[in-house]
Amino acid sequence: DAGITQSPRYKITETGRQVTLMCHQTWSHSYMFWYRQDLGHGLRLIYYSAAADITDKGEVPDGYVVSRSKTENFPLTLESATRSQTSVYFCASSEGEGRNSNQPQHFGDGTRLSIL
Amino acid sequence: ELKVEQNPLFLSMQEGKNYTIYCNYSTTSDRLYWYRQDPGKSLESLFVLLSNGAVKQEGRLMASLDTKARLSTLHITAAVHDLSATYFCAVIPNFGNEKLTFGTGTRLTIIP
């Protein structure tokens, strides 16, 4: 079925470790996004991508790295995890972005990441 | 910097009652989205409001947008237990950084 899938769904790791969260979409949407969700903050944009090999920072990019070699994949890497990065991470995709799109973003099921 | 505020943050209401969730934002925008999130689940798109005066309805939920007041409302009519969830509004500003900015959410609990 078409959709957006994230893996893993749950991850526990230690401070200082590198961890990569995966995101795959089958809609061929141009735009993909990574958000983190924390109590009291709603969802905050980490990074986004307008197309393969085009990425840009969002509101809270520090400590994260992204890449997009293929349209359908948008992995998020924490190069050296810290406790403050414990959160629920959501990947999303959309056909357009900003004022060029009348469609909502579609979200994956999220990855719950705990850093000890 | 765009700020999106929702109120109330928490709402408990009885089945059969009506209530309204408010979403205020701080900059010019005529693009507003409502999402629903069940506990531990993804965000589901409910409504897309793209102009001043836009009104959308789906079942017991109705959303409206007043761009001059920078306000959107999500009205719940005759609430049922299945509507228990967290509701988020999100705004794309007309100028500057055209990124979706979310409110902090309203956790709605419907009591039988």
Side-chain angles (χ1 to χ4, degrees):
Chain A
D1 288 341
I4 183 166
T5 56
Q6 293 183 235
S7 62
R9 291 296 315 279
Y10 304 91
K11 177 75 175 178
I12 300 173
T13 191
E14 297 177 339
T15 55
R17 295 282 184 100
Q18 182 180 82
V19 59
T20 296
L21 310 184
M22 305 301 293
C23 179
H24 175 79
Q25 55 106 354
T26 59
W27 287 305
S28 299
H29 285 166
S30 295
Y31 289 85
M32 297 187 75
F33 307 85
W34 274 106
Y35 294 90
R36 60 178 290 173
Q37 184 177 29
D38 304 289
L39 282 175
H41 289 281
L43 277 80
R44 292 181 291 174
L45 182 65
I46 304 171
Y47 268 96
Y48 66 99
S49 170
D53 298 322
I54 301 175
T55 62
D56 206 351
K57 296 178 180 179
E59 180 185 355
V60 289
D62 293 345
Y64 303 95
V65 175
V66 293
S67 62
R68 196 168 175 204
S69 58
K70 293 183 179 181
T71 300
E72 61 266 30
N73 296 325
F74 190 38
L76 175 74
T77 298
L78 289 67
E79 292 191 305
S80 179
T82 66
R83 289 196 179 92
S84 65
Q85 293 177 308
T86 292
S87 187
V88 181
Y89 291 85
F90 285 98
C91 180
S93 71
S94 64
E95 290 182 351
E97 188 268 341
R99 298 190 59 72
N100 294 321
S101 175
N102 294 336
Q103 299 301 315
Q105 293 180 14
H106 300 276
F107 285 79
D109 288 336
T111 294
R112 189 175 295 272
L113 178 63
S114 295
I115 300 165
L116 307 178
Chain B
E1 179 187 342
L2 170 61
K3 293 193 183 302
V4 182
E5 295 182 346
Q6 290 182 234
N7 70 83
L9 298 183
F10 300 93
L11 174 59
S12 290
M13 53 189 294
Q14 288 187 316
E15 281 189 329
K17 300 290 188 182
N18 304 332
Y19 208 80
T20 301
I21 298 171
Y22 297 89
C23 174
N24 292 272
Y25 52 94
S26 63
T27 192
T28 305
S29 172
D30 55 11
R31 271 175 155 70
L32 190 139
Y33 304 78
W34 283 97
Y35 287 87
R36 167 183 172 145
Q37 185 181 36
D38 293 309
K41 302 292 186 180
S42 182
L43 279 78
E44 172 191 358
S45 175
L46 292 175
F47 300 110
V48 178
L49 304 170
L50 299 176
S51 62
N52 185 41
V55 177
K56 295 280 184 74
Q57 183 165 3
E58 180 72 33
R60 301 174 187 273
L61 299 177
M62 183 174 71
S64 64
L65 178 61
D66 181 343
T67 60
K68 295 180 181 178
R70 300 180 181 176
L71 171 69
S72 180
T73 60
L74 181 65
H75 187 73
I76 302 149
T77 301
V80 294
H81 180 68
D82 286 352
L83 291 178
S84 295
T86 299
Y87 293 86
F88 291 93
C89 64
V91 174
I92 293 177
N94 285 5
F95 307 103
N97 181 3
E98 296 180 8
K99 298 297 174 285
L100 196 62
T101 299
F102 283 82
T104 52
T106 296
R107 181 175 289 184
L108 174 64
T109 303
I110 309 298
I111 303 167

